[in-house]
Amino acid sequence: QVQVVESGGGLVQAGGSLTLSCTASGLTFEDAVMGWLRQAPGQEREGISCISQSGANLYYANSVKGRFTISRKNAKNTLYLQMNNLTPEDTDIYYCAARRARFADPTLHANFYNIWGQGTNVTVSS
């Protein structure tokens, strides 16, 4: 069974940090483009960061650039998102997403991904 499972969400004060993790199973992780997306109630899912299969190419949405860092450890089938200097505007449900596409370029577009986690809540208090 192919799945990705997020962990690491929670409640943090503004200015604080959190690290999200996403562990994949049932797929060849090093062949997958991986992304982090977030969604607030009633809003569209927003791609905030993505990473190429090897980890060499990283992309960020303007809203998180300079504050968030995406990384992956292919030997551990795990994707990470280090989030620093969090603000209340970062409060959302955060999703890990994957697509098995060995030669595709990463993208922030949600429609590209076809494997989704259940999401983890991140709440930033002011």
Side-chain angles (χ1 to χ4, degrees):
Q1 181 181 0
V2 177
Q3 63 177 357
V4 293
V5 180
E6 305 96 337
S7 61
L11 173 64
V12 63
Q13 288 188 333
S17 299
L18 279 176
T19 300
L20 304 183
S21 299
C22 169
T23 301
S25 58
L27 76 160
T28 304
F29 187 71
E30 58 264 32
D31 287 346
V33 173
M34 301 297 297
W36 286 103
L37 300 94
R38 66 186 183 185
Q39 187 173 24
Q43 302 294 319
E44 290 190 357
R45 201 163 287 187
E46 172 195 15
I48 57 172
S49 188
C50 57
I51 187 169
S52 62
Q53 297 83 340
S54 68
N57 297 316
L58 316 174
Y59 299 94
Y60 298 94
N62 288 335
S63 57
V64 305
K65 197 174 295 182
R67 301 187 298 122
F68 291 11
T69 302
I70 191 171
S71 62
R72 65 192 293 167
K73 290 186 177 180
N74 285 350
K76 293 189 175 183
N77 286 5
T78 303
L79 175 74
Y80 303 95
L81 186 68
Q82 173 68 43
M83 305 186 294
N84 297 327
N85 195 20
L86 286 160
T87 73
E89 288 68 36
D90 294 314
T91 295
D92 269 327
I93 300 174
Y94 284 69
Y95 295 91
C96 170
R99 177 162 179 167
R100 289 175 289 188
R102 189 173 183 184
F103 302 108
D105 291 327
T107 175
L108 296 177
H109 294 296
N111 290 341
F112 172 80
Y113 298 94
N114 55 11
I115 302 167
W116 291 87
Q118 81 286 354
T120 185
N121 281 291
V122 172
T123 303
V124 184
S125 63
S126 57

